[in-house]
Coordinates of all heavy atoms in Angstrom, one line a residue:
M134 N 104.3 148.6 93.5 CA 103.5 147.7 94.3 C 102.8 146.7 93.5 O 102.7 145.5 93.8 CB 102.6 148.4 95.2 CG 101.9 147.6 96.3 SD 103.2 147.0 97.4 CE 102.2 146.3 98.7
Q135 N 102.4 147.1 92.3 CA 101.6 146.3 91.4 C 102.6 145.2 90.9 O 102.2 144.0 90.7 CB 101.1 147.1 90.2 CG 100.3 146.3 89.2 CD 98.9 146.0 89.7 OE1 98.5 146.6 90.7 NE2 98.2 145.1 89.1
A136 N 103.8 145.5 90.6 CA 104.8 144.5 90.1 C 105.1 143.5 91.1 O 105.2 142.3 90.8 CB 106.1 145.2 89.7
L137 N 105.2 143.9 92.4 CA 105.5 142.9 93.4 C 104.3 141.9 93.6 O 104.5 140.7 93.9 CB 105.8 143.6 94.8 CG 107.1 144.3 94.8 CD1 107.3 145.0 96.2 CD2 108.3 143.4 94.6
S138 N 103.1 142.5 93.5 CA 101.9 141.6 93.6 C 101.9 140.6 92.4 O 101.5 139.5 92.6 CB 100.7 142.5 93.6 OG 99.5 141.7 93.6
T139 N 102.3 141.1 91.3 CA 102.3 140.2 90.1 C 103.3 139.1 90.3 O 103.1 137.9 90.0 CB 102.6 141.0 88.8 OG1 101.6 142.0 88.7 CG2 102.6 140.1 87.6
I140 N 104.5 139.4 90.8 CA 105.5 138.4 91.1 C 105.1 137.4 92.1 O 105.3 136.2 91.9 CB 106.8 139.2 91.5 CG1 107.4 139.9 90.3 CG2 107.8 138.1 92.1 CD1 108.6 140.8 90.7
Y141 N 104.4 137.9 93.1 CA 103.9 137.0 94.1 C 102.8 136.0 93.5 O 102.9 134.8 93.8 CB 103.2 137.8 95.3 CG 102.6 136.9 96.3 CD1 103.3 136.2 97.2 CD2 101.2 136.7 96.3 CE1 102.7 135.4 98.1 CE2 100.6 135.9 97.2 CZ 101.4 135.2 98.2 OH 100.8 134.4 99.1
Q142 N 102.0 136.5 92.7 CA 101.0 135.7 92.0 C 101.6 134.6 91.1 O 101.2 133.5 91.1 CB 100.0 136.5 91.3 CG 99.1 137.3 92.1 CD 98.2 138.2 91.3 OE1 98.3 138.3 90.1 NE2 97.3 138.9 92.0
I143 N 102.7 135.0 90.4 CA 103.4 134.0 89.6 C 104.1 133.0 90.4 O 104.0 131.8 90.1 CB 104.4 134.8 88.7 CG1 103.7 135.6 87.6 CG2 105.4 133.8 88.0 CD1 104.6 136.5 86.9
V144 N 104.7 133.4 91.5 CA 105.4 132.4 92.4 C 104.4 131.5 93.0 O 104.6 130.3 93.2 CB 106.2 133.2 93.5 CG1 106.7 132.2 94.6 CG2 107.4 133.9 92.8
A145 N 103.2 132.0 93.4 CA 102.2 131.2 94.0 C 101.6 130.2 93.0 O 101.4 129.0 93.3 CB 101.0 132.1 94.5
M146 N 101.5 130.6 91.7 CA 101.0 129.7 90.7 C 102.1 128.6 90.5 O 101.7 127.4 90.4 CB 100.8 130.4 89.4 CG 100.2 129.5 88.3 SD 100.0 130.4 86.7 CE 101.7 130.8 86.3
L147 N 103.3 128.9 90.4 CA 104.4 127.9 90.2 C 104.5 127.0 91.4 O 104.7 125.8 91.2 CB 105.7 128.6 89.9 CG 105.8 129.4 88.6 CD1 107.2 130.1 88.5 CD2 105.7 128.4 87.4
T148 N 104.3 127.5 92.5 CA 104.3 126.6 93.7 C 103.1 125.7 93.7 O 103.3 124.5 94.0 CB 104.2 127.5 95.0 OG1 105.3 128.4 95.0 CG2 104.1 126.7 96.3
N149 N 101.9 126.1 93.3 CA 100.8 125.2 93.2 C 101.0 124.1 92.1 O 100.7 123.0 92.4 CB 99.5 126.0 92.8 CG 99.1 126.9 94.0 OD1 99.3 126.5 95.1 ND2 98.4 127.9 93.7
V150 N 101.7 124.5 91.0 CA 102.0 123.5 90.0 C 102.9 122.4 90.6 O 102.8 121.2 90.4 CB 102.5 124.1 88.7 CG1 103.1 123.1 87.8 CG2 101.5 124.9 88.0
L151 N 103.9 122.9 91.3 CA 104.9 122.0 91.9 C 104.3 121.1 92.9 O 104.6 119.9 93.0 CB 106.1 122.8 92.5 CG 107.4 122.1 92.8 CD1 107.9 121.5 91.5 CD2 108.4 123.1 93.3
V152 N 103.4 121.6 93.7 CA 102.7 120.8 94.7 C 101.8 119.7 94.0 O 101.8 118.6 94.4 CB 101.9 121.7 95.7 CG1 100.9 120.8 96.5 CG2 102.8 122.5 96.6
M153 N 101.1 120.1 92.9 CA 100.3 119.2 92.2 C 101.2 118.0 91.6 O 100.8 116.9 91.6 CB 99.5 119.9 91.1 CG 98.4 120.7 91.6 SD 97.2 119.6 92.5 CE 96.4 120.8 93.5
L154 N 102.3 118.4 91.1 CA 103.2 117.4 90.5 C 103.7 116.4 91.6 O 103.8 115.2 91.4 CB 104.5 118.0 89.9 CG 104.2 118.6 88.5 CD1 105.5 119.3 88.0 CD2 103.8 117.6 87.5
I155 N 104.0 116.9 92.8 CA 104.4 116.1 93.9 C 103.2 115.1 94.3 O 103.4 113.9 94.6 CB 104.8 116.9 95.2 CG1 106.1 117.7 94.8 CG2 104.9 116.1 96.4 CD1 106.5 118.7 95.8
I156 N 102.0 115.6 94.3 CA 100.8 114.8 94.7 C 100.6 113.7 93.6 O 100.4 112.6 93.9 CB 99.6 115.7 94.9 CG1 99.8 116.5 96.2 CG2 98.3 114.8 95.0 CD1 98.7 117.6 96.3
I157 N 100.8 114.1 92.3 CA 100.6 113.1 91.3 C 101.7 112.1 91.3 O 101.4 110.9 91.2 CB 100.6 113.8 89.9 CG1 99.3 114.7 89.7 CG2 100.7 112.8 88.7 CD1 99.4 115.6 88.5
Q158 N 102.9 112.5 91.6 CA 104.0 111.5 91.8 C 103.7 110.5 92.9 O 103.9 109.3 92.8 CB 105.3 112.2 92.0 CG 106.5 111.3 92.3 CD 107.7 112.0 92.8 OE1 107.6 113.0 93.5 NE2 108.9 111.6 92.4
F159 N 103.2 111.0 94.0 CA 102.8 110.2 95.2 C 101.7 109.2 94.8 O 101.8 108.0 95.1 CB 102.4 111.1 96.3 CG 101.9 110.3 97.5 CD1 102.8 109.7 98.3 CD2 100.6 110.3 97.8 CE1 102.4 108.9 99.4 CE2 100.2 109.6 98.9 CZ 101.1 108.9 99.7
I160 N 100.7 109.7 94.1 CA 99.6 108.8 93.8 C 100.0 107.7 92.8 O 99.7 106.5 93.0 CB 98.4 109.6 93.2 CG1 97.8 110.4 94.4 CG2 97.3 108.7 92.6 CD1 96.8 111.4 93.9
I161 N 100.8 108.1 91.8 CA 101.2 107.0 90.8 C 102.2 106.1 91.5 O 102.1 104.8 91.3 CB 101.9 107.7 89.6 CG1 100.9 108.5 88.8 CG2 102.6 106.6 88.7 CD1 101.5 109.3 87.7
G162 N 103.0 106.5 92.4 CA 103.9 105.6 93.2 C 103.1 104.7 94.0 O 103.4 103.5 94.2
L163 N 102.0 105.1 94.6 CA 101.1 104.2 95.4 C 100.4 103.2 94.5 O 100.3 102.0 94.9 CB 100.0 105.0 96.2 CG 100.5 105.7 97.4 CD1 99.3 106.5 98.0 CD2 101.0 104.8 98.4
L164 N 100.0 103.6 93.3 CA 99.4 102.7 92.4 C 100.4 101.6 92.0 O 100.0 100.4 91.8 CB 98.9 103.4 91.2 CG 97.7 104.4 91.4 CD1 97.4 105.1 90.1 CD2 96.5 103.6 91.9
F165 N 101.6 102.0 91.8 CA 102.6 101.0 91.4 C 102.9 100.1 92.6 O 103.1 98.9 92.5 CB 103.9 101.7 91.0 CG 103.9 102.2 89.6 CD1 104.7 103.3 89.2 CD2 103.0 101.8 88.6 CE1 104.7 103.8 87.9 CE2 102.9 102.3 87.3 CZ 103.8 103.3 87.0
A166 N 103.0 100.7 93.8 CA 103.4 99.9 95.0 C 102.4 98.9 95.4 O 102.7 97.8 95.8 CB 103.6 100.8 96.2
F167 N 101.1 99.2 95.2 CA 100.0 98.2 95.6 C 99.5 97.4 94.4 O 98.5 96.8 94.4 CB 98.9 99.0 96.2 CG 99.3 99.5 97.6 CD1 99.4 100.8 97.9 CD2 99.5 98.6 98.7 CE1 99.7 101.3 99.1 CE2 99.8 99.0 99.9 CZ 99.9 100.4 100.1
N168 N 100.3 97.4 93.3 CA 99.9 96.7 92.1 C 98.5 97.0 91.5 O 97.9 96.1 91.0 CB 100.1 95.2 92.3 CG 101.6 94.8 92.3 OD1 102.4 95.4 91.6 ND2 101.9 93.8 93.0
V169 N 98.1 98.2 91.7 CA 96.8 98.6 91.1 C 97.0 98.7 89.6 O 96.2 98.4 88.8 CB 96.3 99.9 91.7 CG1 95.0 100.3 91.0 CG2 96.0 99.6 93.2
V170 N 98.2 99.3 89.3 CA 98.6 99.5 87.9 C 100.0 98.8 87.7 O 100.8 98.9 88.6 CB 98.8 101.0 87.5 CG1 99.3 101.2 86.1 CG2 97.4 101.7 87.7
N171 N 100.1 98.1 86.6 CA 101.4 97.4 86.4 C 102.4 98.4 86.0 O 102.2 99.3 85.3 CB 101.2 96.4 85.2 CG 102.3 95.4 85.1 OD1 103.4 95.6 85.7 ND2 102.1 94.4 84.3
Q172 N 103.7 98.2 86.5 CA 104.7 99.1 86.3 C 105.2 99.1 84.8 O 105.9 99.9 84.3 CB 105.9 98.8 87.2 CG 105.7 99.2 88.6 CD 106.9 99.1 89.5 OE1 107.9 98.4 89.1 NE2 106.8 99.6 90.7
R173 N 104.8 98.0 84.1 CA 105.1 98.0 82.7 C 104.2 98.7 81.8 O 104.3 98.7 80.6 CB 105.2 96.5 82.2 CG 106.4 95.8 82.8 CD 106.4 94.4 82.3 NE 106.4 93.5 83.5 CZ 105.9 92.3 83.6 NH1 105.4 91.8 82.5 NH2 106.0 91.7 84.7
N174 N 103.2 99.4 82.4 CA 102.3 100.3 81.6 C 103.2 101.4 81.1 O 103.7 102.2 81.8 CB 101.2 100.8 82.6 CG 100.2 101.7 81.9 OD1 100.5 102.4 80.9 ND2 99.0 101.7 82.4
E175 N 103.3 101.5 79.8 CA 104.2 102.4 79.1 C 103.9 103.9 79.4 O 104.8 104.7 79.7 CB 104.3 102.1 77.6 CG 104.9 100.9 77.3 CD 105.0 100.7 75.7 OE1 105.0 101.7 75.0 OE2 105.1 99.5 75.3
F176 N 102.6 104.2 79.3 CA 102.2 105.6 79.4 C 102.5 106.1 80.9 O 103.1 107.1 81.1 CB 100.8 105.8 79.0 CG 100.3 107.2 79.4 CD1 100.7 108.3 78.6 CD2 99.5 107.5 80.4 CE1 100.3 109.6 78.9 CE2 99.0 108.7 80.7 CZ 99.4 109.8 79.9
L177 N 102.0 105.3 81.8 CA 102.1 105.7 83.2 C 103.6 105.7 83.7 O 104.0 106.5 84.5 CB 101.2 104.9 84.1 CG 100.6 105.5 85.3 CD1 99.9 106.8 84.9 CD2 99.6 104.6 86.0
G178 N 104.3 104.7 83.2 CA 105.7 104.6 83.5 C 106.5 105.8 83.0 O 107.3 106.3 83.7
A179 N 106.2 106.2 81.8 CA 106.9 107.3 81.2 C 106.5 108.6 81.9 O 107.4 109.5 82.2 CB 106.6 107.4 79.7
F180 N 105.3 108.7 82.2 CA 104.8 109.9 82.9 C 105.4 110.0 84.3 O 105.9 111.1 84.7 CB 103.3 109.9 83.0 CG 102.6 111.1 83.5 CD1 102.7 112.3 82.8 CD2 102.0 111.2 84.7 CE1 102.1 113.5 83.2 CE2 101.4 112.3 85.2 CZ 101.5 113.5 84.4
Y181 N 105.5 108.9 85.0 CA 106.1 108.8 86.4 C 107.6 109.2 86.3 O 108.1 109.9 87.1 CB 105.9 107.5 87.0 CG 106.3 107.3 88.4 CD1 105.7 108.0 89.4 CD2 107.4 106.5 88.7 CE1 106.1 107.8 90.7 CE2 107.9 106.3 90.0 CZ 107.2 107.0 91.0 OH 107.7 106.9 92.3
M182 N 108.3 108.6 85.3 CA 109.7 108.9 85.2 C 110.0 110.4 84.8 O 110.9 111.0 85.3 CB 110.3 108.0 84.1 CG 110.4 106.6 84.6 SD 111.3 106.3 86.1 CE 113.0 106.8 85.6
S183 N 109.1 111.0 84.0 CA 109.3 112.4 83.7 C 109.0 113.3 84.9 O 109.8 114.3 85.1 CB 108.4 112.8 82.5 OG 107.0 112.7 82.8
I184 N 108.0 112.9 85.7 CA 107.8 113.7 86.9 C 109.0 113.6 87.9 O 109.4 114.6 88.5 CB 106.5 113.3 87.6 CG1 105.3 113.7 86.7 CG2 106.4 113.9 89.0 CD1 104.0 113.3 87.3
N185 N 109.5 112.4 88.0 CA 110.7 112.1 88.8 C 111.9 113.0 88.4 O 112.6 113.5 89.2 CB 111.1 110.7 88.9 CG 110.2 109.9 89.8 OD1 109.6 110.4 90.7 ND2 110.1 108.6 89.6
R186 N 112.1 113.0 87.0 CA 113.2 113.8 86.5 C 113.0 115.3 86.8 O 114.0 116.1 87.0 CB 113.4 113.6 85.0 CG 114.0 112.2 84.8 CD 114.3 112.0 83.3 NE 114.7 110.6 83.1 CZ 114.2 109.9 82.1 NH1 113.3 110.3 81.3 NH2 114.6 108.6 82.0
L187 N 111.8 115.8 86.7 CA 111.5 117.2 87.0 C 111.7 117.5 88.5 O 112.2 118.6 88.8 CB 110.1 117.5 86.6 CG 109.8 117.7 85.2 CD1 108.3 117.9 84.9 CD2 110.5 119.0 84.6
L188 N 111.3 116.6 89.4 CA 111.3 116.9 90.8 C 112.7 116.5 91.5 O 113.0 117.0 92.6 CB 110.2 116.2 91.5 CG 108.8 116.6 91.2 CD1 107.8 115.8 91.9 CD2 108.6 118.1 91.5
E189 N 113.5 115.7 90.8 CA 114.7 115.2 91.5 C 115.7 116.4 91.8 O 116.3 116.4 92.9 CB 115.4 114.2 90.6 CG 116.6 113.6 91.3 CD 116.3 112.9 92.6 OE1 115.2 112.4 92.8 OE2 117.2 113.0 93.5
P190 N 115.9 117.4 90.9 CA 116.8 118.5 91.3 C 116.3 119.2 92.6 O 117.1 119.8 93.3 CB 116.8 119.4 90.1 CG 116.3 118.6 89.0 CD 115.4 117.5 89.5
V191 N 115.0 119.2 92.9 CA 114.5 119.9 94.0 C 114.5 119.0 95.3 O 114.8 119.4 96.4 CB 113.1 120.5 93.8 CG1 112.6 121.2 95.0 CG2 113.1 121.3 92.5
L192 N 114.1 117.7 95.0 CA 114.0 116.8 96.1 C 115.3 116.2 96.5 O 115.5 115.8 97.7 CB 113.0 115.7 95.8 CG 111.5 116.1 95.6 CD1 110.7 114.9 95.2 CD2 111.0 116.6 96.9
G193 N 116.3 116.1 95.6 CA 117.6 115.5 95.9 C 118.3 116.1 97.1 O 118.8 115.4 98.0
P194 N 118.5 117.4 97.1 CA 119.2 118.1 98.2 C 118.4 117.9 99.5 O 119.1 117.7 100.6 CB 119.2 119.6 97.8 CG 119.1 119.6 96.4 CD 118.2 118.4 96.0
I195 N 117.1 117.8 99.5 CA 116.4 117.6 100.7 C 116.6 116.2 101.2 O 116.8 115.9 102.4 CB 114.9 117.9 100.5 CG1 114.6 119.3 100.2 CG2 114.1 117.5 101.8 CD1 113.2 119.7 99.7
R196 N 116.7 115.2 100.3 CA 116.9 113.8 100.7 C 118.3 113.6 101.3 O 118.5 112.8 102.2 CB 116.8 112.9 99.5 CG 115.3 112.7 99.1 CD 115.2 111.7 97.9 NE 113.9 111.6 97.5 CZ 113.4 111.8 96.3 NH1 114.3 112.0 95.3 NH2 112.2 111.6 96.0
R197 N 119.3 114.4 100.8 CA 120.6 114.3 101.3 C 120.8 114.8 102.7 O 121.6 114.4 103.5 CB 121.6 115.0 100.4 CG 121.9 114.2 99.1 CD 123.1 114.8 98.4 NE 122.8 116.1 97.8 CZ 122.2 116.2 96.6 NH1 121.9 115.2 95.8 NH2 122.0 117.5 96.1
V198 N 119.9 115.8 103.1 CA 120.0 116.5 104.4 C 119.2 115.6 105.4 O 119.7 115.5 106.5 CB 119.5 117.9 104.3 CG1 119.3 118.5 105.7 CG2 120.4 118.8 103.4
M199 N 118.1 115.1 105.0 CA 117.2 114.3 105.9 C 117.8 113.0 106.3 O 118.5 112.4 105.5 CB 115.9 114.1 105.3 CG 115.1 115.4 105.2 SD 113.4 115.1 104.6 CE 112.8 114.0 105.7
P200 N 117.5 112.5 107.5 CA 118.0 111.1 107.8 C 117.2 110.1 107.0 O 116.1 110.3 106.6 CB 117.7 111.0 109.3 CG 116.6 112.1 109.6 CD 116.8 113.1 108.6
N201 N 117.8 108.9 106.8 CA 117.2 107.8 106.1 C 116.1 107.2 107.0 O 116.3 106.8 108.1 CB 118.2 106.8 105.8 CG 117.7 105.7 104.8 OD1 116.6 105.8 104.4 ND2 118.5 104.7 104.6
T202 N 114.9 107.2 106.5 CA 113.7 106.7 107.2 C 113.2 105.4 106.7 O 112.1 105.0 107.0 CB 112.6 107.7 107.2 OG1 112.2 108.0 105.9 CG2 113.0 109.0 108.0
G203 N 114.0 104.7 105.8 CA 113.6 103.4 105.3 C 112.8 103.6 104.0 O 113.1 104.3 103.1
A204 N 111.7 102.9 104.0 CA 110.8 102.9 102.8 C 110.0 104.2 102.7 O 109.5 104.5 101.6 CB 109.9 101.7 102.9
I205 N 109.9 105.0 103.7 CA 109.0 106.2 103.6 C 109.9 107.4 103.3 O 110.9 107.7 104.0 CB 108.3 106.4 104.9 CG1 107.4 105.3 105.2 CG2 107.4 107.7 104.8 CD1 106.7 105.3 106.6
D206 N 109.6 108.1 102.2 CA 110.3 109.3 101.8 C 109.5 110.5 102.2 O 108.5 110.8 101.7 CB 110.5 109.2 100.3 CG 111.4 110.4 99.8 OD1 112.0 111.0 100.6 OD2 111.3 110.6 98.6
F207 N 110.1 111.3 103.2 CA 109.4 112.5 103.7 C 109.8 113.7 102.9 O 109.3 114.8 103.2 CB 109.7 112.7 105.2 CG 108.9 111.7 106.0 CD1 109.6 110.7 106.7 CD2 107.6 111.7 106.2 CE1 109.0 109.7 107.4 CE2 106.9 110.8 107.0 CZ 107.6 109.8 107.6
S208 N 110.7 113.6 102.0 CA 111.2 114.8 101.3 C 110.1 115.6 100.5 O 110.1 116.8 100.5 CB 112.4 114.5 100.4 OG 112.0 113.6 99.4
P209 N 109.1 114.9 99.9 CA 108.1 115.7 99.3 C 107.3 116.5 100.3 O 106.9 117.7 100.0 CB 107.2 114.6 98.6 CG 108.1 113.5 98.4 CD 109.0 113.5 99.5
L210 N 107.0 115.9 101.4 CA 106.3 116.7 102.5 C 107.1 117.9 102.9 O 106.5 119.0 103.1 CB 106.0 115.7 103.6 CG 105.3 116.4 104.8 CD1 103.9 116.8 104.4 CD2 105.2 115.4 106.0
V211 N 108.4 117.7 103.1 CA 109.2 118.8 103.6 C 109.2 119.9 102.5 O 109.2 121.1 102.8 CB 110.7 118.3 103.8 CG1 111.6 119.4 104.1 CG2 110.7 117.4 105.0
L212 N 109.3 119.5 101.2 CA 109.3 120.5 100.1 C 108.0 121.3 100.1 O 108.0 122.5 100.0 CB 109.5 119.8 98.8 CG 109.5 120.7 97.6 CD1 110.6 121.8 97.7 CD2 109.6 119.9 96.3
I213 N 106.9 120.6 100.3 CA 105.6 121.3 100.3 C 105.5 122.3 101.5 O 105.1 123.4 101.3 CB 104.4 120.3 100.4 CG1 104.3 119.5 99.1 CG2 103.1 121.0 100.7 CD1 103.3 118.4 99.1
I214 N 106.0 121.9 102.6 CA 106.0 122.8 103.8 C 106.9 124.0 103.5 O 106.5 125.1 103.8 CB 106.4 122.0 105.1 CG1 105.3 121.0 105.5 CG2 106.7 123.0 106.2 CD1 105.7 120.0 106.5
L215 N 108.1 123.7 103.0 CA 109.0 124.8 102.7 C 108.4 125.8 101.7 O 108.6 127.0 101.8 CB 110.4 124.3 102.2 CG 111.3 123.6 103.2 CD1 112.5 123.0 102.5 CD2 111.7 124.6 104.3
L216 N 107.8 125.3 100.6 CA 107.2 126.1 99.6 C 106.1 127.0 100.2 O 106.0 128.2 99.9 CB 106.6 125.3 98.5 CG 107.6 124.7 97.5 CD1 106.9 123.7 96.6 CD2 108.4 125.7 96.8
N217 N 105.3 126.4 101.1 CA 104.2 127.2 101.8 C 104.8 128.3 102.7 O 104.3 129.4 102.8 CB 103.3 126.3 102.6 CG 102.3 125.6 101.6 OD1 101.8 126.2 100.7 ND2 102.1 124.3 101.8
I218 N 105.9 128.0 103.4 CA 106.6 128.9 104.2 C 107.1 130.1 103.4 O 106.9 131.3 103.8 CB 107.7 128.3 105.1 CG1 107.2 127.4 106.1 CG2 108.7 129.3 105.7 CD1 108.2 126.5 106.8
V219 N 107.7 129.8 102.3 CA 108.2 130.8 101.4 C 107.0 131.7 100.9 O 107.2 133.0 100.9 CB 109.0 130.2 100.2 CG1 109.2 131.3 99.1 CG2 110.3 129.6 100.6
L220 N 105.9 131.1 100.5 CA 104.8 131.9 100.1 C 104.2 132.8 101.2 O 103.9 134.0 101.0 CB 103.6 131.0 99.6 CG 103.7 130.5 98.2 CD1 102.6 129.6 97.9 CD2 103.8 131.6 97.2
I221 N 104.2 132.3 102.4 CA 103.7 133.1 103.6 C 104.6 134.3 103.8 O 104.2 135.4 104.0 CB 103.5 132.2 104.8 CG1 102.4 131.3 104.6 CG2 103.4 133.1 106.1 CD1 102.3 130.2 105.7
V222 N 105.9 134.0 103.8 CA 106.9 135.1 104.1 C 106.9 136.1 103.0 O 106.9 137.3 103.2 CB 108.3 134.5 104.3 CG1 109.4 135.6 104.3 CG2 108.4 133.7 105.5
L223 N 106.9 135.6 101.7 CA 106.8 136.5 100.6 C 105.5 137.4 100.6 O 105.6 138.6 100.3 CB 107.0 135.8 99.3 CG 107.2 136.5 98.0 CD1 108.4 137.3 98.1 CD2 107.2 135.6 96.8
G224 N 104.4 136.8 100.9 CA 103.2 137.5 101.0 C 103.2 138.5 102.1 O 102.7 139.7 101.9
N225 N 103.8 138.2 103.2 CA 103.8 139.2 104.3 C 104.8 140.4 104.0 O 104.5 141.5 104.4 CB 104.3 138.5 105.6 CG 103.2 137.7 106.2 OD1 102.0 137.9 106.0 ND2 103.6 136.7 107.0
V226 N 105.8 140.1 103.3 CA 106.8 141.1 102.9 C 106.1 142.1 101.9 O 106.2 143.3 102.0 CB 108.1 140.5 102.3 CG1 108.9 141.6 101.7 CG2 108.9 139.9 103.5
I227 N 105.4 141.5 100.9 CA 104.9 142.3 99.8 C 103.6 143.1 100.3 O 103.5 144.3 100.0 CB 104.5 141.4 98.6 CG1 105.7 140.9 98.0 CG2 103.6 142.1 97.7 CD1 105.5 139.9 96.9
Y228 N 102.8 142.5 101.1 CA 101.5 143.1 101.4 C 101.5 143.9 102.8 O 100.5 144.4 103.2 CB 100.4 142.1 101.4 CG 100.1 141.6 100.1 CD1 100.3 140.2 99.8 CD2 99.7 142.4 99.0 CE1 100.0 139.7 98.5 CE2 99.5 141.9 97.7 CZ 99.7 140.6 97.5 OH 99.4 140.1 96.2
S229 N 102.7 144.0 103.4 CA 102.8 144.7 104.7 C 103.3 146.1 104.5 O 103.7 146.5 103.5 CB 103.6 144.0 105.7 OG 105.0 143.9 105.2

């Protein structure tokens, strides 16, 4: 039981890191979209591109399944919801 609890805590921590990366990606995208920060800013541009490269393998399949909504990308929201569902189910399986 101790091992399952440890696995759950590791999965929860990785999920939290992934959610934080999604939020950071969203905020930097907003800063670029509203010209608060210039897109030619080397540090922020490189940071944004690296986060995109990390998240694209996870967000890409969700984008392919979802209908095209134009300028608004709902795939990060869907990913956050799916991750929370997995955590809830995994927690109920382990602690019941």
Side-chain angles (χ1 to χ4, degrees):
M134 190 65 167
Q135 183 77 14
L137 290 178
S138 177
T139 303
I140 291 172
Y141 176 76
Q142 289 174 355
I143 291 171
V144 170
M146 181 185 65
L147 292 175
T148 300
N149 289 333
V150 168
L151 201 56
V152 168
M153 288 298 158
L154 284 175
I155 292 169
I156 292 170
I157 291 169
Q158 179 192 32
F159 176 73
I160 291 172
I161 294 173
L163 283 179
L164 292 175
F165 285 157
F167 290 111
N168 284 330
V169 175
V170 176
N171 192 347
Q172 288 185 347
R173 287 183 239 152
N174 183 329
E175 290 182 26
F176 173 74
L177 215 51
F180 190 66
Y181 184 69
M182 289 303 295
S183 64
I184 291 175
N185 281 340
R186 287 187 187 131
L187 283 172
L188 293 178
E189 186 57 34
V191 181
L192 292 175
I195 297 171
R196 287 186 182 123
R197 284 191 291 273
V198 171
M199 290 183 58
N201 189 5
T202 56
I205 301 173
D206 184 17
F207 289 108
S208 60
L210 178 65
V211 171
L212 179 61
I213 290 172
I214 292 170
L215 287 175
L216 288 172
N217 282 319
I218 289 171
V219 167
L220 277 180
I221 291 169
V222 170
L223 189 61
N225 286 336
V226 167
I227 289 174
Y228 295 119
S229 64

